């Protein structure tokens, strides 16, 4: 996988964990980078929360947690022009992100 993702007007350096935005560089957590990298593996295909919990966090199958939602919210605040109306990191109701 490439070490730089292009997300709309932004670039994300996965190795440096930095989002390059119009306002300047924004640091990302290791988990935020993990979520973006995992989602980038299947562009245009929704990834269920349960799959993210297993693959990014290493949780066992069947574990229920809101940690994915919290991380996606933090990413939207950093990535989206309007976090409450996302265009880059969208929810596909009943299917995932």
């Amino acid at each position: 996988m490439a070490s730089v993702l292009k997300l709309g007007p932004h670039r994300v350096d996965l190795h440096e964990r930095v989002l390059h935005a119009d306002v300047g560089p924004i640091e990302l957590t290791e988990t935020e980078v993990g979520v973006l990298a995992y989602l980038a593996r299947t562009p245009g295909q929704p990834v269920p929360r349960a799959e993210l919990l297993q693959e990014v966090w290493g949780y066992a199958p069947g574990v229920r947690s809101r940690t994915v939602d919290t991380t996606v919210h933090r990413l939207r605040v950093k990535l989206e022009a309007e976090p409450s109306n996302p265009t880059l990191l969208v929810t596909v109701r009943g299917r995932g992100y």
Side-chain angles (χ1 to χ4, degrees):
M1 172 178 290
S3 65
V4 176
L5 296 178
K6 178 91 168 108
L7 295 171
H10 312 300
R11 286 180 305 111
V12 178
D13 185 320
L14 298 174
H15 292 300
E16 297 294 323
R17 296 190 340 230
V18 175
L19 164 69
H20 296 279
D22 292 341
V23 297
I26 300 170
E27 289 188 35
L28 298 174
T29 67
E30 189 173 331
T31 302
E32 291 167 343
V33 167
V35 169
L36 290 176
Y38 194 80
L39 292 173
R41 292 180 189 155
T42 56
Q45 299 297 315
V47 176
R49 284 178 178 85
E51 185 175 331
L52 288 170
L53 284 170
Q54 289 175 32
E55 298 300 326
V56 177
W57 280 268
Y59 285 15
V63 171
R64 298 174 72 107
S65 173
R66 302 293 293 176
T67 193
V68 174
D69 303 312
T70 302
T71 302
V72 167
H73 173 75
R74 284 195 328 260
L75 280 168
R76 285 178 174 157
V77 168
K78 293 176 180 182
L79 287 170
E80 303 281 358
E82 292 182 52
S84 61
N85 189 26
T87 59
L88 301 172
L89 188 54
V90 297
T91 301
V92 180
R93 202 166 193 90
R95 297 192 58 209
Y97 295 100

Coordinates of all heavy atoms in Angstrom, one line a residue:
M1 N 0.8 -1.2 0.0 CA 0.0 0.0 0.0 C 0.9 1.2 0.0 O 1.9 1.3 0.6 CB -0.9 0.0 1.2 CG -1.7 1.3 1.4 SD -2.8 1.4 2.8 CE -4.0 0.2 2.2
A2 N 0.4 2.3 -0.7 CA 1.2 3.5 -0.7 C 1.3 4.1 0.7 O 0.4 3.9 1.5 CB 0.5 4.5 -1.7
S3 N 2.3 4.9 0.9 CA 2.5 5.5 2.2 C 1.8 6.8 2.3 O 1.7 7.4 3.4 CB 4.0 5.7 2.5 OG 4.5 6.6 1.6
V4 N 1.2 7.3 1.2 CA 0.5 8.6 1.2 C -0.9 8.3 0.6 O -1.0 7.8 -0.5 CB 1.2 9.7 0.4 CG1 0.4 10.9 0.4 CG2 2.6 10.0 1.1
L5 N -2.0 8.7 1.3 CA -3.3 8.6 0.8 C -3.8 10.0 0.4 O -3.5 11.0 1.1 CB -4.3 8.1 1.9 CG -4.1 6.7 2.5 CD1 -5.1 6.5 3.6 CD2 -4.2 5.7 1.4
K6 N -4.5 10.1 -0.7 CA -5.2 11.3 -1.1 C -6.6 11.2 -0.7 O -7.3 10.3 -1.1 CB -5.0 11.4 -2.6 CG -5.7 12.7 -3.2 CD -4.7 13.8 -3.2 CE -5.2 14.9 -4.1 NZ -5.7 16.1 -3.3
L7 N -7.1 12.1 0.1 CA -8.5 12.2 0.6 C -9.0 13.6 0.3 O -8.8 14.5 1.1 CB -8.6 11.9 2.1 CG -8.2 10.5 2.5 CD1 -8.1 10.4 4.0 CD2 -9.1 9.5 2.0
G8 N -9.8 13.7 -0.8 CA -10.3 15.0 -1.2 C -9.1 15.9 -1.4 O -8.1 15.6 -2.0
P9 N -9.2 17.1 -0.7 CA -8.1 18.1 -0.9 C -6.9 17.8 0.0 O -5.9 18.5 0.0 CB -8.8 19.4 -0.4 CG -9.8 18.9 0.5 CD -10.3 17.6 0.1
H10 N -6.9 16.7 0.8 CA -5.9 16.4 1.8 C -5.0 15.3 1.3 O -5.4 14.4 0.5 CB -6.5 16.0 3.1 CG -7.6 16.9 3.6 ND1 -7.4 18.2 3.9 CD2 -8.9 16.7 3.9 CE1 -8.5 18.8 4.3 NE2 -9.4 17.9 4.3
R11 N -3.8 15.2 1.9 CA -2.9 14.1 1.8 C -2.6 13.6 3.2 O -2.4 14.4 4.1 CB -1.6 14.5 1.2 CG -1.6 14.8 -0.3 CD -0.3 15.2 -0.9 NE 0.3 16.3 -0.2 CZ 1.4 16.3 0.6 NH1 2.1 15.2 0.8 NH2 1.8 17.4 1.2
V12 N -2.6 12.3 3.4 CA -2.3 11.7 4.7 C -1.0 10.8 4.5 O -1.0 9.9 3.7 CB -3.4 10.8 5.2 CG1 -3.0 10.1 6.5 CG2 -4.7 11.5 5.3
D13 N 0.0 11.2 5.2 CA 1.3 10.5 5.3 C 1.1 9.4 6.3 O 1.1 9.7 7.5 CB 2.4 11.4 5.5 CG 3.8 10.7 5.4 OD1 3.9 9.5 5.9 OD2 4.7 11.3 4.9
L14 N 1.0 8.2 5.9 CA 0.7 7.1 6.9 C 1.9 6.8 7.8 O 1.7 6.4 8.9 CB 0.3 5.8 6.1 CG -1.0 5.9 5.3 CD1 -1.2 4.7 4.5 CD2 -2.2 6.2 6.2
H15 N 3.1 6.9 7.2 CA 4.3 6.6 8.0 C 4.6 7.7 9.0 O 5.0 7.4 10.2 CB 5.5 6.4 7.1 CG 5.4 5.2 6.3 ND1 5.3 3.9 6.8 CD2 5.4 5.0 4.9 CE1 5.2 3.0 5.9 NE2 5.3 3.6 4.7
E16 N 4.4 9.0 8.6 CA 4.6 10.1 9.5 C 3.4 10.4 10.4 O 3.5 11.2 11.4 CB 5.0 11.3 8.7 CG 6.3 11.2 8.0 CD 7.5 11.0 8.9 OE1 7.6 11.7 9.9 OE2 8.4 10.3 8.5
R17 N 2.3 9.8 10.1 CA 1.0 10.0 10.8 C 0.6 11.5 10.8 O 0.3 12.1 11.9 CB 1.1 9.5 12.3 CG 1.3 8.0 12.3 CD 1.1 7.3 13.7 NE 1.3 8.2 14.8 CZ 2.0 7.9 15.8 NH1 2.8 6.8 15.9 NH2 2.1 8.7 16.9
V18 N 0.7 12.1 9.6 CA 0.3 13.5 9.5 C -0.7 13.7 8.4 O -0.5 13.1 7.3 CB 1.6 14.3 9.2 CG1 1.3 15.8 8.9 CG2 2.6 14.2 10.3
L19 N -1.7 14.5 8.7 CA -2.7 14.9 7.7 C -2.2 16.3 7.2 O -2.0 17.2 8.0 CB -4.1 15.0 8.3 CG -5.1 15.8 7.5 CD1 -5.5 15.0 6.3 CD2 -6.3 16.0 8.4
H20 N -2.0 16.4 5.9 CA -1.6 17.7 5.3 C -2.9 18.3 4.8 O -3.4 17.9 3.8 CB -0.6 17.5 4.2 CG 0.7 16.9 4.7 ND1 1.7 17.7 5.3 CD2 1.2 15.6 4.7 CE1 2.7 16.9 5.7 NE2 2.4 15.6 5.3
A21 N -3.3 19.4 5.5 CA -4.6 20.1 5.1 C -4.3 21.5 4.8 O -3.1 22.0 5.0 CB -5.5 20.0 6.3
D22 N -5.3 22.2 4.4 CA -5.1 23.7 4.0 C -4.7 24.5 5.2 O -3.9 25.4 5.1 CB -6.4 24.2 3.5 CG -6.8 23.7 2.2 OD1 -5.9 23.1 1.5 OD2 -8.0 23.8 1.8
V23 N -5.1 24.0 6.4 CA -4.7 24.8 7.6 C -3.3 24.4 8.2 O -2.9 25.0 9.1 CB -5.8 24.6 8.8 CG1 -7.1 25.1 8.4 CG2 -5.8 23.1 9.1
G24 N -2.7 23.5 7.5 CA -1.4 23.0 7.9 C -1.4 21.6 8.3 O -2.4 20.9 8.2
P25 N -0.2 21.1 8.8 CA -0.2 19.7 9.2 C -0.9 19.4 10.5 O -0.9 20.2 11.4 CB 1.3 19.4 9.4 CG 1.9 20.8 9.6 CD 1.0 21.8 8.9
I26 N -1.6 18.3 10.5 CA -2.4 17.8 11.7 C -1.9 16.4 12.0 O -2.0 15.5 11.2 CB -3.9 17.8 11.4 CG1 -4.4 19.3 11.0 CG2 -4.7 17.3 12.6 CD1 -5.8 19.3 10.4
E27 N -1.5 16.3 13.2 CA -1.1 14.9 13.7 C -2.2 14.0 13.8 O -3.3 14.4 14.3 CB -0.3 15.0 15.0 CG 1.0 15.7 14.9 CD 1.8 15.6 16.2 OE1 1.7 14.6 16.9 OE2 2.6 16.6 16.4
L28 N -2.0 12.7 13.5 CA -3.0 11.7 13.6 C -2.4 10.7 14.6 O -1.2 10.4 14.7 CB -3.3 11.0 12.3 CG -3.8 11.9 11.2 CD1 -3.9 11.1 9.9 CD2 -5.2 12.4 11.5
T29 N -3.3 10.0 15.3 CA -2.9 8.9 16.2 C -2.7 7.7 15.4 O -3.1 7.5 14.2 CB -4.0 8.6 17.2 OG1 -5.2 8.1 16.6 CG2 -4.4 9.9 18.0
E30 N -2.0 6.7 16.0 CA -1.7 5.5 15.3 C -3.0 4.8 15.0 O -3.1 4.2 13.9 CB -0.8 4.6 16.3 CG -0.3 3.3 15.6 CD 0.6 2.6 16.5 OE1 1.3 3.2 17.3 OE2 0.7 1.4 16.3
T31 N -4.0 4.8 15.8 CA -5.3 4.2 15.6 C -6.0 4.9 14.4 O -6.6 4.2 13.5 CB -6.2 4.2 16.8 OG1 -5.5 3.5 17.9 CG2 -7.5 3.5 16.6
E32 N -6.0 6.2 14.4 CA -6.6 6.9 13.3 C -6.0 6.5 11.9 O -6.7 6.3 10.9 CB -6.5 8.5 13.5 CG -7.4 8.9 14.6 CD -7.0 10.4 15.1 OE1 -6.0 10.9 14.7 OE2 -7.9 11.0 15.7
V33 N -4.7 6.4 11.9 CA -3.9 6.0 10.7 C -4.3 4.6 10.3 O -4.5 4.2 9.2 CB -2.4 6.2 10.9 CG1 -1.7 5.5 9.7 CG2 -2.1 7.6 10.9
G34 N -4.4 3.7 11.4 CA -4.8 2.3 11.1 C -6.2 2.2 10.5 O -6.4 1.4 9.6
V35 N -7.1 3.0 11.0 CA -8.5 3.0 10.4 C -8.4 3.5 8.9 O -9.0 2.9 8.0 CB -9.5 3.9 11.2 CG1 -10.8 4.1 10.5 CG2 -9.7 3.3 12.6
L36 N -7.8 4.6 8.7 CA -7.7 5.1 7.3 C -7.0 4.1 6.4 O -7.5 3.9 5.2 CB -7.0 6.5 7.3 CG -7.7 7.6 7.9 CD1 -6.8 8.9 7.9 CD2 -9.0 7.9 7.2
A37 N -5.9 3.5 6.8 CA -5.2 2.6 6.0 C -6.1 1.4 5.7 O -6.1 0.9 4.6 CB -3.9 2.2 6.7
Y38 N -6.8 0.9 6.7 CA -7.6 -0.3 6.5 C -8.8 0.0 5.5 O -9.1 -0.8 4.6 CB -8.2 -0.8 7.8 CG -8.8 -2.2 7.6 CD1 -7.9 -3.3 7.6 CD2 -10.1 -2.4 7.5 CE1 -8.5 -4.6 7.4 CE2 -10.7 -3.7 7.3 CZ -9.8 -4.7 7.2 OH -10.3 -6.0 7.0
L39 N -9.4 1.2 5.7 CA -10.5 1.6 4.8 C -10.0 1.8 3.4 O -10.7 1.5 2.4 CB -11.2 2.9 5.3 CG -12.0 2.7 6.6 CD1 -12.5 4.1 7.1 CD2 -13.1 1.8 6.4
A40 N -8.8 2.2 3.2 CA -8.2 2.5 1.9 C -8.0 1.2 1.1 O -7.8 1.2 -0.1 CB -6.9 3.3 2.0
R41 N -7.9 0.1 1.8 CA -7.7 -1.2 1.1 C -8.9 -1.6 0.2 O -8.7 -2.4 -0.7 CB -7.4 -2.3 2.1 CG -6.1 -2.1 2.9 CD -5.9 -3.3 3.9 NE -4.7 -2.9 4.7 CZ -4.5 -3.4 5.9 NH1 -5.4 -4.2 6.4 NH2 -3.5 -3.1 6.5
T42 N -10.1 -1.1 0.6 CA -11.2 -1.4 -0.2 C -12.0 -0.2 -0.5 O -13.1 0.0 0.0 CB -12.1 -2.4 0.5 OG1 -12.5 -1.9 1.8 CG2 -11.5 -3.8 0.7
P43 N -11.5 0.7 -1.3 CA -12.2 2.0 -1.6 C -13.6 1.7 -2.2 O -13.7 0.9 -3.1 CB -11.2 2.7 -2.6 CG -10.4 1.6 -3.2 CD -10.3 0.5 -2.2
G44 N -14.5 2.5 -1.7 CA -15.9 2.4 -2.2 C -16.7 1.3 -1.7 O -17.9 1.1 -2.0
Q45 N -16.0 0.4 -0.9 CA -16.7 -0.7 -0.3 C -16.9 -0.5 1.2 O -15.9 -0.2 1.9 CB -15.9 -2.0 -0.5 CG -15.8 -2.4 -1.9 CD -17.1 -2.7 -2.6 OE1 -17.9 -3.4 -2.1 NE2 -17.2 -2.1 -3.8
P46 N -18.1 -0.5 1.8 CA -18.2 -0.3 3.2 C -17.6 -1.4 4.0 O -17.5 -2.6 3.7 CB -19.8 -0.4 3.4 CG -20.4 -0.5 2.1 CD -19.3 -0.8 1.1
V47 N -16.9 -1.0 5.1 CA -16.3 -1.9 6.1 C -17.1 -1.9 7.4 O -17.2 -0.8 8.0 CB -14.8 -1.5 6.3 CG1 -14.2 -2.4 7.3 CG2 -14.0 -1.5 5.0
P48 N -17.6 -3.0 7.8 CA -18.4 -3.1 9.0 C -17.6 -2.7 10.3 O -16.3 -3.0 10.3 CB -18.9 -4.5 9.1 CG -18.7 -5.1 7.7 CD -17.5 -4.3 7.1
R49 N -18.2 -2.1 11.3 CA -17.6 -1.8 12.5 C -16.9 -3.0 13.1 O -15.8 -2.9 13.6 CB -18.6 -1.3 13.5 CG -19.1 0.1 13.3 CD -20.1 0.5 14.4 NE -20.6 1.8 14.2 CZ -21.5 2.2 13.4 NH1 -22.1 1.3 12.6 NH2 -21.9 3.5 13.3
A50 N -17.6 -4.2 13.1 CA -17.0 -5.4 13.7 C -15.7 -5.7 13.0 O -14.7 -6.2 13.7 CB -18.0 -6.5 13.6
E51 N -15.6 -5.6 11.7 CA -14.3 -5.9 11.0 C -13.2 -4.9 11.4 O -12.1 -5.3 11.6 CB -14.6 -5.8 9.5 CG -13.4 -6.2 8.7 CD -13.7 -6.2 7.2 OE1 -14.9 -6.5 6.8 OE2 -12.8 -6.0 6.4
L52 N -13.6 -3.6 11.6 CA -12.6 -2.7 12.0 C -12.1 -3.0 13.4 O -10.9 -2.9 13.7 CB -13.2 -1.2 12.0 CG -13.3 -0.6 10.6 CD1 -14.1 0.6 10.6 CD2 -12.0 -0.4 9.9
L53 N -13.0 -3.4 14.3 CA -12.7 -3.7 15.7 C -11.7 -4.9 15.7 O -10.7 -4.9 16.5 CB -13.9 -4.1 16.5 CG -14.7 -2.9 17.0 CD1 -16.0 -3.4 17.6 CD2 -14.0 -2.0 18.0
Q54 N -11.9 -5.9 14.9 CA -11.0 -7.0 14.8 C -9.7 -6.7 14.2 O -8.6 -7.0 14.7 CB -11.7 -8.1 14.0 CG -12.8 -8.8 14.8 CD -13.5 -9.8 13.9 OE1 -12.9 -10.5 13.1 NE2 -14.8 -10.0 14.1
E55 N -9.7 -6.0 13.0 CA -8.5 -5.8 12.2 C -7.6 -4.6 12.7 O -6.4 -4.7 12.6 CB -8.9 -5.6 10.8 CG -9.6 -6.8 10.1 CD -8.7 -8.0 10.1 OE1 -7.5 -7.9 10.0 OE2 -9.3 -9.1 10.3
V56 N -8.2 -3.6 13.2 CA -7.5 -2.4 13.6 C -7.1 -2.5 15.1 O -6.0 -2.2 15.6 CB -8.2 -1.1 13.3 CG1 -7.4 0.1 13.8 CG2 -8.4 -1.0 11.8
W57 N -8.1 -2.8 15.9 CA -7.9 -2.9 17.4 C -7.5 -4.3 17.9 O -7.1 -4.4 19.0 CB -9.2 -2.4 18.1 CG -9.4 -1.0 18.1 CD1 -9.0 -0.1 19.1 CD2 -10.0 -0.1 17.2 NE1 -9.3 1.2 18.8 CE2 -10.0 1.2 17.6 CE3 -10.6 -0.4 15.9 CZ2 -10.5 2.3 16.9 CZ3 -11.2 0.7 15.2 CH2 -11.1 2.0 15.7
G58 N -7.7 -5.3 17.1 CA -7.4 -6.6 17.5 C -8.4 -7.3 18.5 O -8.1 -8.2 19.2
Y59 N -9.6 -6.8 18.5 CA -10.7 -7.3 19.4 C -11.1 -8.7 18.8 O -11.0 -9.0 17.6 CB -11.9 -6.4 19.4 CG -11.7 -5.1 20.2 CD1 -10.5 -4.7 20.6 CD2 -12.8 -4.4 20.6 CE1 -10.3 -3.5 21.4 CE2 -12.7 -3.2 21.3 CZ -11.4 -2.8 21.7 OH -11.3 -1.6 22.5
A60 N -11.6 -9.5 19.7 CA -12.2 -10.8 19.4 C -13.5 -10.6 18.7 O -14.2 -9.6 18.9 CB -12.4 -11.6 20.6
P61 N -13.9 -11.6 17.8 CA -15.2 -11.5 17.1 C -16.3 -11.4 18.2 O -16.2 -12.1 19.2 CB -15.2 -12.8 16.3 CG -13.8 -13.2 16.1 CD -13.1 -12.7 17.3
G62 N -17.3 -10.7 17.9 CA -18.5 -10.6 18.8 C -18.4 -9.4 19.8 O -19.3 -9.1 20.4
V63 N -17.2 -8.8 20.0 CA -17.0 -7.7 20.9 C -17.8 -6.5 20.4 O -17.7 -6.2 19.2 CB -15.5 -7.4 21.1 CG1 -15.4 -6.1 21.9 CG2 -14.8 -8.5 21.8
R64 N -18.6 -5.9 21.2 CA -19.3 -4.7 20.9 C -18.6 -3.5 21.6 O -18.4 -3.6 22.8 CB -20.7 -4.8 21.2 CG -21.4 -6.0 20.5 CD -22.8 -6.2 21.0 NE -23.7 -5.1 20.5 CZ -24.6 -5.2 19.5 NH1 -24.8 -6.4 19.0 NH2 -25.4 -4.2 19.2
S65 N -18.4 -2.4 20.8 CA -17.7 -1.3 21.4 C -18.1 -0.1 20.5 O -18.3 -0.2 19.3 CB -16.2 -1.5 21.4 OG -15.6 -0.3 21.8
R66 N -18.1 1.1 21.2 CA -18.3 2.4 20.4 C -17.0 3.0 20.1 O -17.0 4.1 19.6 CB -19.1 3.3 21.3 CG -20.5 2.8 21.7 CD -21.4 2.6 20.6 NE -21.8 3.9 20.1 CZ -22.6 4.1 19.0 NH1 -23.1 3.0 18.4 NH2 -22.8 5.3 18.5
T67 N -15.9 2.4 20.3 CA -14.6 3.0 20.0 C -14.4 3.3 18.5 O -13.8 4.3 18.2 CB -13.4 2.0 20.5 OG1 -12.2 2.8 20.5 CG2 -13.3 0.8 19.7
V68 N -15.0 2.5 17.6 CA -14.9 2.9 16.2 C -15.6 4.2 15.9 O -15.1 5.1 15.2 CB -15.5 1.7 15.3 CG1 -15.6 2.2 13.9 CG2 -14.8 0.4 15.5
D69 N -16.8 4.4 16.5 CA -17.5 5.6 16.3 C -16.8 6.8 16.8 O -16.7 7.9 16.2 CB -18.9 5.5 17.0 CG -19.7 4.3 16.5 OD1 -19.8 4.1 15.2 OD2 -20.2 3.6 17.3
T70 N -16.1 6.6 18.0 CA -15.3 7.7 18.6 C -14.2 8.1 17.7 O -13.9 9.3 17.4 CB -14.8 7.3 20.0 OG1 -16.0 7.0 20.8 CG2 -14.1 8.4 20.6
T71 N -13.5 7.1 17.2 CA -12.3 7.3 16.3 C -12.8 8.0 15.0 O -12.1 8.9 14.5 CB -11.5 6.0 16.0 OG1 -11.1 5.5 17.3 CG2 -10.3 6.3 15.2
V72 N -13.8 7.5 14.4 CA -14.4 8.1 13.1 C -14.8 9.5 13.4 O -14.5 10.4 12.5 CB -15.5 7.2 12.6 CG1 -16.2 8.0 11.5 CG2 -15.0 5.9 12.1
H73 N -15.4 9.8 14.5 CA -15.7 11.2 14.8 C -14.5 12.1 14.9 O -14.5 13.2 14.3 CB -16.5 11.3 16.2 CG -16.7 12.7 16.6 ND1 -17.7 13.5 16.0 CD2 -16.1 13.4 17.5 CE1 -17.7 14.7 16.6 NE2 -16.7 14.6 17.5
R74 N -13.4 11.6 15.6 CA -12.2 12.4 15.6 C -11.6 12.6 14.2 O -11.1 13.7 13.9 CB -11.2 11.7 16.5 CG -11.4 11.8 18.0 CD -10.2 11.4 18.9 NE -9.4 10.4 18.3 CZ -9.4 9.1 18.7 NH1 -10.2 8.7 19.6 NH2 -8.5 8.3 18.2
L75 N -11.7 11.6 13.4 CA -11.1 11.7 12.0 C -12.0 12.7 11.2 O -11.4 13.5 10.5 CB -11.1 10.4 11.3 CG -10.0 9.5 11.7 CD1 -10.2 8.0 11.2 CD2 -8.7 10.0 11.1
R76 N -13.3 12.7 11.4 CA -14.1 13.6 10.7 C -13.8 15.1 11.1 O -13.8 15.9 10.2 CB -15.6 13.3 10.9 CG -16.0 12.1 10.1 CD -17.5 11.7 10.4 NE -17.9 10.7 9.5 CZ -18.9 9.9 9.8 NH1 -19.6 10.0 10.9 NH2 -19.3 8.9 9.0
V77 N -13.6 15.3 12.3 CA -13.3 16.6 12.8 C -12.0 17.1 12.1 O -11.8 18.3 11.7 CB -13.1 16.7 14.3 CG1 -12.5 18.0 14.8 CG2 -14.5 16.5 15.0
K78 N -11.0 16.2 11.9 CA -9.8 16.6 11.3 C -9.8 16.6 9.8 O -9.1 17.4 9.2 CB -8.7 15.5 11.7 CG -8.4 15.6 13.2 CD -7.4 14.5 13.6 CE -7.1 14.6 15.1 NZ -6.1 13.6 15.5
L79 N -10.7 15.8 9.1 CA -10.7 15.7 7.7 C -11.7 16.5 7.0 O -11.5 17.0 5.9 CB -10.9 14.2 7.3 CG -9.9 13.2 7.5 CD1 -10.4 11.8 7.3 CD2 -8.8 13.4 6.5
E80 N -12.9 16.6 7.6 CA -14.1 17.1 6.9 C -14.2 18.6 7.0 O -14.0 19.1 8.1 CB -15.4 16.4 7.4 CG -15.4 14.9 7.3 CD -15.7 14.4 5.9 OE1 -15.9 15.2 5.0 OE2 -15.7 13.2 5.7
A81 N -14.7 19.2 6.0 CA -15.0 20.7 6.1 C -16.2 20.9 7.0 O -16.3 21.8 7.8 CB -15.4 21.2 4.7
E82 N -17.2 19.9 6.9 CA -18.3 19.9 7.8 C -18.4 18.5 8.4 O -19.1 17.7 7.8 CB -19.6 20.2 7.1 CG -19.7 21.7 6.5 CD -21.1 21.9 5.8 OE1 -22.1 21.5 6.4 OE2 -21.0 22.3 4.7
P83 N -17.9 18.3 9.6 CA -17.9 17.0 10.2 C -19.3 16.4 10.4 O -19.4 15.2 10.3 CB -17.2 17.2 11.6 CG -16.3 18.4 11.4 CD -17.1 19.3 10.4
S84 N -20.3 17.2 10.6 CA -21.6 16.7 10.8 C -22.3 16.3 9.4 O -23.4 15.7 9.4 CB -22.5 17.7 11.5 OG -22.6 18.9 10.7
N85 N -21.7 16.7 8.3 CA -22.1 16.3 7.0 C -21.0 15.8 6.2 O -20.5 16.4 5.2 CB -22.8 17.6 6.3 CG -23.5 17.2 5.1 OD1 -23.9 16.1 4.9 ND2 -23.6 18.2 4.2
P86 N -20.4 14.6 6.5 CA -19.2 14.1 5.9 C -19.3 13.8 4.5 O -20.4 13.3 4.0 CB -18.9 12.9 6.8 CG -20.2 12.5 7.3 CD -21.0 13.7 7.5
T87 N -18.3 14.0 3.7 CA -18.2 13.6 2.3 C -17.0 12.7 2.1 O -17.0 12.0 1.0 CB -18.1 14.8 1.4 OG1 -16.9 15.5 1.7 CG2 -19.3 15.7 1.5
L88 N -16.1 12.6 3.0 CA -14.9 11.8 2.8 C -15.0 10.5 3.5 O -14.6 9.4 3.0 CB -13.6 12.6 3.2 CG -13.4 13.9 2.5 CD1 -12.2 14.6 3.1 CD2 -13.1 13.6 1.0
L89 N -15.5 10.5 4.7 CA -15.6 9.4 5.6 C -17.0 9.2 6.0 O -17.5 9.7 7.0 CB -14.7 9.5 6.8 CG -14.5 8.4 7.8 CD1 -14.0 7.1 7.0 CD2 -13.5 8.7 8.9
V90 N -17.8 8.5 5.1 CA -19.2 8.4 5.3 C -19.7 7.1 5.9 O -19.0 6.1 5.8 CB -19.9 8.7 3.9 CG1 -19.6 10.0 3.4 CG2 -19.5 7.6 2.9
T91 N -20.8 7.2 6.5 CA -21.4 6.0 7.1 C -22.4 5.4 6.1 O -23.2 6.2 5.5 CB -22.2 6.3 8.4 OG1 -21.3 6.9 9.3 CG2 -22.9 5.1 9.0
V92 N -22.3 4.1 5.8 CA -23.3 3.5 5.0 C -24.2 2.7 5.9 O -23.8 1.7 6.5 CB -22.7 2.5 3.9 CG1 -23.7 1.8 3.1 CG2 -21.7 3.3 3.1
R93 N -25.4 3.2 6.2 CA -26.2 2.7 7.3 C -26.4 1.2 7.2 O -26.8 0.7 6.1 CB -27.6 3.5 7.2 CG -28.4 3.4 8.4 CD -29.5 4.4 8.4 NE -30.1 4.6 9.7 CZ -29.7 5.5 10.5 NH1 -28.7 6.3 10.2 NH2 -30.2 5.6 11.7
G94 N -26.2 0.6 8.3 CA -26.3 -0.9 8.4 C -25.2 -1.7 7.7 O -25.2 -2.9 7.8
R95 N -24.2 -1.0 7.1 CA -23.1 -1.7 6.5 C -21.7 -1.4 7.0 O -20.8 -2.2 7.0 CB -23.2 -1.5 5.0 CG -24.5 -2.0 4.4 CD -24.6 -2.1 3.0 NE -23.6 -3.0 2.4 CZ -23.2 -2.8 1.2 NH1 -23.6 -1.8 0.4 NH2 -22.2 -3.5 0.7
G96 N -21.5 -0.1 7.4 CA -20.2 0.3 7.9 C -19.8 1.7 7.4 O -20.6 2.5 7.1
Y97 N -18.4 1.8 7.2 CA -17.9 3.1 6.8 C -17.2 2.9 5.5 O -16.7 1.9 5.1 CB -16.8 3.6 7.8 CG -17.4 3.9 9.2 CD1 -17.3 3.1 10.2 CD2 -18.1 5.1 9.3 CE1 -17.9 3.4 11.4 CE2 -18.6 5.5 10.5 CZ -18.6 4.6 11.6 OH -19.1 4.9 12.8

